[in-house]
Amino acid sequence: MSVSGMKKQLHKASQLLNERLMGAEGTKMDEDFLRMEKVKLVAVIHALLAELLSKTTEFLQPNPGTVSTTRPSVAFF
């Protein structure tokens, strides 16, 4: 683990300990984030974007075997 990673972990542990000892509340999430978490909207959007990305990649870099069968043959004179 790098030095910066260790510092980050120590800071997180220190912050959690201070919150517990001093009775401070952690940062609350906005209502929008809570609503997204309930509906699992983020997971749905992620799945849709992954599907869109795969279809876009397939469209931009098609399989040469399927291209010849899907496109009509053009006669050259």
Side-chain angles (χ1 to χ4, degrees):
M1 183 181 279
S2 67
V3 175
S4 62
M6 288 283 285
K7 282 177 64 176
K8 185 176 181 179
Q9 291 297 323
L10 287 172
H11 179 69
K12 282 183 177 182
S14 163
Q15 184 179 5
L16 180 64
L17 185 64
N18 283 338
E19 286 176 0
R20 297 291 167 118
L21 291 176
M22 302 298 176
E25 291 186 26
T27 306
K28 299 285 185 187
M29 287 189 182
D30 289 339
E31 193 172 316
D32 294 335
F33 290 114
L34 295 174
R35 188 172 47 235
M36 280 192 294
E37 191 176 51
K38 285 182 184 176
V39 179
K40 303 291 184 195
L41 184 64
V42 175
V44 171
I45 290 174
H46 183 268
L48 290 173
L49 286 176
E51 182 182 352
L52 179 66
L53 181 64
S54 69
K55 291 192 186 271
T56 304
T57 304
E58 183 180 334
F59 180 75
L60 293 175
Q61 300 173 352
N63 183 357
T66 59
V67 171
S68 62
T69 61
T70 57
R71 290 186 183 162
S73 58
V74 177
F76 293 103
F77 295 99

